[in-house]
Amino acid sequence: MSVKINYSNNKTGKSSLNQVLFVNEKFNINGLQKHLNKSEFSYIKDILKKNDLKKNLLTFELNSKKEIVLVSIKNNLKNSDIENLGAELFVRINNVKKNEYIINSDSISSKNVNFLGFLLHGLKLKSYEFKKYKTKKETKTLSIIIVGTKNKPSAQSQLKFKALEEGTFYARDLVSEPGNILHPDEYAKRLASLRKDGLKINIYDKNKLKKLGMHALLGVGQGSVRGSYLVTMEWNGAKKKSRPLAFVGKGVCFDTGGYSLKPAKFMEDMTYDMAGSAAVVGLMKNLAIRKAKINAVGVVGLVENMVSGNAQRPGDIVKSYSGKTIEILNTDAEGRLVLADALTFTEKKFKPKFIIDLATLTGAIIVCLGSEYAGLFSNDDNLSNQIFNAGENIQEKVWRMPLHKNYDKLMNSKNADVQNINYVGGAGSTTAAQFLQRFIINKTPWAHLDIAGMAFSKYGGALNSGGATGFGVRLLNQLVEENYE
Ligand code: BES
Ligand code: ZN
Ligand code: ZN
């Protein structure tokens, strides 16, 4: 169902349409008399006596045409609670029978001046669906009209929410596309189109990558009939020429595992193995749309990990962009190979304040943290704390995991400088992060987010209805807003 939200300057009053009205934590409706006629008022009052007032929403079917939804504004709601309330409201009013609701902003009484903004943001995020490949198009639209003169979000905050929604939805769209459509060639083409948003886009194709010496990234893509790419997206919104914030993403458009082939069961999930890159793209789009006053750069490595006569073999040794040689003991540990070159390149070319990478890197992180927290690995306590706090505030949560020189040792190779998996076993997510850390050459503050458990939700979460979540876009936007603007 698509949702249209419009603002109207109409005064509030009594209405014959479906209405959303707001009450306090005890569902006190005395303030609503001006919006309800007498019989409606006493009908609702009667039912309220018998109802569970601990709920967030109560619905009253007044007649076949009119429904009233009371939204209870509990005390001390955090911004994320209000977003969740908006999502809950969407689920409630997204029903087959009704397709128009009036939201009465005058009835809101909340200490949070942006209550309505957060509510609608949560509602919008929850309403996202990916129905591009259904030939039978759904024609229904849920129309929401905001009436009233009070409590409306300012134009500036509306723009911020809209930018964040567009960035998140763009990331979700990319992740939702199947592997036959969004292969590296198509992905690179779509990124070129982001120039219209004001981003400076540079596309390095196979030939350029060869010249640069990015053989770790190129090795992963060499079995594919598609190209391999590194794409940089720059947003320069700061007045001064300050060092940018850098975001790097794993963009494996499909991960068969290569010759270390994955089993058939759930291999289809590997179409979302580019979710780290999608989060970076969504974030950059959001920063550009809302013209954030910072400098930032997004870097994504786009490849397809396939099997063919030309694919790389277990045991191959490649030279990375950093100059370090890598022994590939398992072709399914490919994300770290793509990131290795992308990280060193980002550090060298942009000399950023920090680098944060996002990747669906290991199944092991799902064993550790499930789909509740992303794994966070970092060489910097300050950056780590900033990301953790942003995650708590926006409810895209991260949990810090250890790095240690004893884990690092496990990645030493007999035949090359480093190997891409450890044979001792255990700590699969940490050893992957240790591998990545070897490609941060100049001690730049760096954090790695393993989002394998977060990028896709089979059953839906608070702010998504199942499918691609866009995890990372809102988290990193929050990090930027809280600390760097
Ligand atoms: N893309 C996978 C990780 C993954 C698994 C993401 C499940 C989402 C859900 C990654 O490339 C991979 O295959 N990792 C291997 C590493 C192993 C060979 C050391 C893994 O996790 O099994
Ligand atoms: Zn893999
Ligand atoms: Zn992968």
Side-chain angles (χ1 to χ4, degrees), residues 255 262 332 334:
D255 180 12
K262 286 185 180 298
D332 197 12
E334 84 299 339

Side-chain angles (χ1 to χ4, degrees), residues 3 5 19-22 56-59 67-72 81-95 101-104 115-116 118-124 126-127 142 144 146 462-463:
V3 180
I5 299 178
Q19 284 216 65
V20 178
L21 294 162
F22 297 88
N56 292 323
L57 308 174
L58 287 175
T59 314
E67 185 175 272
I68 299 273
V69 182
L70 293 185
V71 177
S72 160
D81 297 326
I82 303 170
E83 288 172 355
N84 290 349
L85 190 58
E88 205 182 322
L89 177 62
F90 171 75
V91 173
R92 184 59 201 84
I93 65 180
N94 180 28
N95 66 41
Y101 280 84
I102 307 282
I103 291 187
N104 183 320
F115 178 90
L116 187 57
F118 285 109
L119 187 92
L120 295 174
H121 187 52
L123 188 154
K124 264 297 218 13
K126 184 78 178 177
S127 75
L142 176 65
I144 294 174
I146 319 290
L463 296 180

Side-chain angles (χ1 to χ4, degrees), residues 250 255 257 262 269-270 272-273 305 330 332-336 360-364 366 420-422 428 452-453:
K250 168 180 173 181
D255 180 12
K262 286 185 180 298
D269 287 351
M270 287 302 108
Y272 76 74
D273 209 20
N305 190 20
N330 188 315
D332 197 12
E334 84 299 339
R336 62 196 75 181
T360 47
L361 206 63
T362 64
I366 309 178
N420 79 331
I421 59 163
N422 90 84

